[in-house]
Amino acid sequence: MAPAINLKTVTNNVGWSVLSKTSTFGLKFVTVPILARILTPQEFGVVAVAQTVVMFLTMIGSAGLATSLVLQKEEDMETVHSVFWANLLMATVMGAVLYLWAEPFAGLLGAPDAAYLLRIMALLIPIQLCGDVAYSLLARRMAFDKDAAWSVISECVGAVVALGLALLGWGVWALVAQLFSSALVRLGGLFYATGYRPSLSASPRKIAGLTKYSLGITGSEIFNFITFQSPLVVVSRHLGLTDAGAYSAANRFSSIPNQVVLSALMGVLFPVFSHMHGEQERRSNALMLSTQVCTIFLAPMMFGIWAVAEPAMLVIFGKQWASAWPVLGLLALSKGIMSPCSTFIPYLKGAGRSNVLWWVAVIRAALVYGAVSYGAMTDGLVAAMVWLCVANAVTLIFYSWAVFRTNGTAFLSGLYVTSRPMITAVIMAVAVRFLLDQIKDTVPNAVWQLVIGSVAGAIIYGLLVLLTERALLRKLLQLVKDRRAPQASAEASS
């Protein structure tokens, strides 16, 4: 039975999800710079390229079937078992394909030296896919507290393993061991948390009933994967593994605030939207509010990284990476541009509109691949990142149009309301960048530049939000009061 969806349920699960992502990416905030100081850009690049192939085949192998379980009105165990065995079968096939054709895959990505890693990392595919069903069960039950606990535990284990092996001089194997240890711990934790145990039963008819929706989800995820991973492939093929390593390290760091907020909300909002069957107005209001709230928190983080990228790269990654600060700044800028689109994927998935999700993903993938390729071939890594920003700006417009049209919202008014916090963040970031340029000579220390820029950005953005988002702040305050009211009444009656 699906849980009742109300403000308390949503906020509690968002809280747990944010705590999970904050903890796991907090670990990355600490471990990535440390590993970057111990390992070389080429070692980062080799693992990043190998992981790209594994992620792609894992996504194809799932075929979106586990995601379909979240939309089911009832938890039909025959369907659940059928999806598990279908996933395992596909995972075995994909793992075998990767193992046998590791060298052609590595050559296609411009990293023939990574073939040996691909054979080993092929084992990650069944490990990851076997956990998809258990995660979907937690999601439809809105039990994100359990998912949060095991996410943190698995990431902690992986971080400890990676740092320990890196310090012992294991090089690239430290990163490989991190991936395997985290995946195994998370797999065991998900099965323990759900109490799910696979049964030797499967129904092709049940699988067939999920295929229309799941194929749309799979298609969109394939093209979303191309969108997110094609810059690394383009950089690796045209500019070499050293630039690929610089891109990978900068991308990992710039993704931390994005994924803390975005991944946490997407995981919770998908089952929330899916439970709002036949409640178009409620779903529409939830979309607009969640998009505004997500943008108001996410945009200043991303544009803030752009503003302080130069001192941040030196302080966090060290002198050997200092020249890559424009890459870090531009990657953060490209992600900040997309912040108003942060809730669109869970909305379309929850509304059952996988067809819209698919064609939007196709257009975005073509834009990103073409733009980054043009920049890399004409003027190197920094130019490629500039063109990535251009592609994302175009994506913001047509993606918003597609979603607001689906939702029945006027395009221009919807775009203005959801993008307003981003515009405020842009103003803040430009002001901070100007401030740092002015104090560079008088405050040459990078640590102090980072501190001053961060504090100034927080103050400027806070004041601007108070001026521009008073209506949203009043609405959020009222929601908090409404959430506390039942609890206060219960305490008074007792």
Side-chain angles (χ1 to χ4, degrees):
M1 188 72 178
I5 298 299
N6 51 46
L7 182 61
K8 184 176 181 179
T9 302
V10 174
T11 53
N12 283 346
N13 281 280
V14 168
W16 280 111
S17 191
V18 169
L19 177 62
S20 167
K21 301 303 179 183
T22 302
S23 301
T24 56
F25 286 98
L27 283 170
K28 291 184 180 181
F29 184 88
V30 175
T31 57
V32 169
I34 294 174
L35 290 171
R37 291 172 182 268
I38 299 172
L39 305 175
T40 66
Q42 186 172 12
E43 287 171 328
F44 262 94
V46 169
V47 175
V49 170
Q51 192 176 5
T52 297
V53 179
V54 171
M55 290 169 61
F56 181 71
L57 293 178
T58 300
M59 180 185 52
I60 294 177
S62 69
L65 290 173
T67 302
S68 304
L69 296 176
V70 180
L71 289 180
Q72 300 298 299
K73 292 183 179 180
E74 299 294 337
E75 205 170 281
D76 176 35
M77 294 312 298
E78 186 180 6
T79 303
V80 174
H81 297 319
S82 300
V83 170
F84 175 83
W85 292 114
N87 272 7
L88 182 58
L89 175 62
M90 288 300 298
T92 304
V93 172
M94 291 299 173
V97 167
L98 180 55
Y99 185 89
L100 294 173
W101 281 281
E103 290 182 4
F105 272 116
L108 182 66
L109 296 173
D113 294 339
Y116 72 101
L117 278 181
L118 287 178
R119 289 193 172 93
I120 294 170
M121 292 174 66
L123 294 172
L124 277 173
I125 298 176
I127 293 173
Q128 293 176 345
L129 276 182
C130 283
D132 276 4
V133 168
Y135 173 77
S136 294
L137 292 176
L138 286 180
R140 66 167 286 108
R141 297 170 188 173
M142 298 295 286
F144 287 93
D145 53 338
K146 297 177 181 178
D147 174 61
W150 284 105
S151 293
V152 173
I153 292 171
S154 64
E155 289 295 332
C156 284
V157 171
V160 170
V161 169
L163 291 174
L165 294 180
L167 290 171
L168 290 173
W170 283 49
V172 71
W173 296 108
L175 298 175
V176 175
Q178 180 182 26
L179 295 173
F180 272 93
S181 56
S182 293
L184 287 169
V185 172
R186 178 165 171 75
L187 176 63
L190 287 173
F191 274 89
Y192 175 79
T194 57
Y196 173 67
R197 301 295 181 269
S199 174
L200 289 175
S201 63
S203 168
R205 180 177 58 83
K206 296 285 187 179
I207 296 295
L210 303 176
T211 53
K212 182 178 180 181
Y213 174 81
S214 65
L215 287 177
I217 293 295
T218 300
S220 68
E221 288 183 350
I222 289 173
F223 285 101
N224 282 332
F225 180 88
I226 293 172
T227 297
F228 297 130
Q229 300 300 326
S230 62
L232 175 63
V233 176
V234 169
V235 170
S236 174
R237 284 181 60 84
H238 295 288
L239 303 177
L241 285 176
T242 298
D243 276 356
Y247 169 85
S248 176
N251 191 48
R252 283 191 181 200
F253 183 77
S254 64
S255 296
I256 290 173
N258 194 331
Q259 294 189 30
V260 166
V261 177
L262 184 55
S263 298
L265 277 176
M266 284 180 66
V268 176
L269 288 178
F270 169 39
V272 168
F273 285 129
S274 68
H275 288 319
M276 293 179 179
H277 298 289
E279 300 180 82
Q280 177 60 33
E281 184 177 356
R282 188 182 178 203
R283 184 183 281 166
S284 176
N285 292 336
L287 169 67
M288 298 303 292
L289 179 61
S290 59
T291 303
Q292 286 180 275
V293 172
C294 193
T295 306
I296 206 170
F297 285 105
L298 181 60
M301 297 182 191
M302 304 316 305
F303 286 102
I305 291 178
W306 171 80
V308 300
E310 186 171 5
M313 200 73 183
L314 183 62
V315 171
I316 297 169
F317 287 89
K319 293 182 179 179
Q320 64 172 328
W321 298 82
S323 61
W325 75 264
V327 179
L328 173 62
L330 289 167
L331 276 169
L333 184 63
S334 70
K335 299 175 196 301
I337 291 170
M338 289 296 295
S339 56
C341 304
S342 50
T343 60
F344 291 173
I345 290 178
Y347 169 77
L348 291 173
K349 288 171 68 175
R353 301 300 298 272
S354 59
N355 58 327
V356 177
L357 198 58
W358 181 85
W359 69 259
V360 168
V362 171
I363 295 174
R364 185 184 178 191
L367 272 173
V368 169
Y369 182 80
V372 173
S373 297
Y374 175 78
M377 290 187 291
T378 56
D379 205 15
L381 183 57
V382 173
M385 299 300 97
V386 171
W387 278 100
L388 176 61
C389 294
V390 173
N392 281 354
V394 176
T395 300
L396 169 64
I397 302 301
F398 80 77
Y399 206 170
S400 299
W401 173 83
V403 171
F404 293 144
R405 184 171 181 270
T406 302
N407 189 51
T409 302
F411 168 61
L412 291 178
S413 62
L415 180 64
Y416 171 71
V417 170
T418 55
S419 299
R420 191 168 54 210
M422 182 186 70
I423 298 170
T424 303
V426 170
I427 296 171
M428 173 274 293
V430 171
V432 170
R433 193 68 171 265
F434 177 78
L435 173 63
L436 292 181
D437 287 340
Q438 298 304 307
I439 67 170
K440 185 178 294 186
D441 295 332
T442 56
V443 186
N445 185 281
V447 174
W448 279 110
Q449 290 178 13
L450 184 57
V451 171
I452 292 171
S454 301
V455 172
I459 294 172
I460 294 170
Y461 185 73
L463 293 174
L464 290 175
V465 167
L466 289 174
L467 291 173
T468 59
E469 301 293 342
R470 289 192 296 271
L472 175 60
L473 294 175
R474 283 195 296 266
K475 183 183 294 185
L476 293 176
L477 183 61
Q478 185 60 47
L479 287 174
V480 171
K481 290 180 179 178
D482 292 344
R483 185 184 187 279
R484 291 178 177 174
Q487 181 179 355
S489 299
E491 291 175 354
S493 61
S494 61

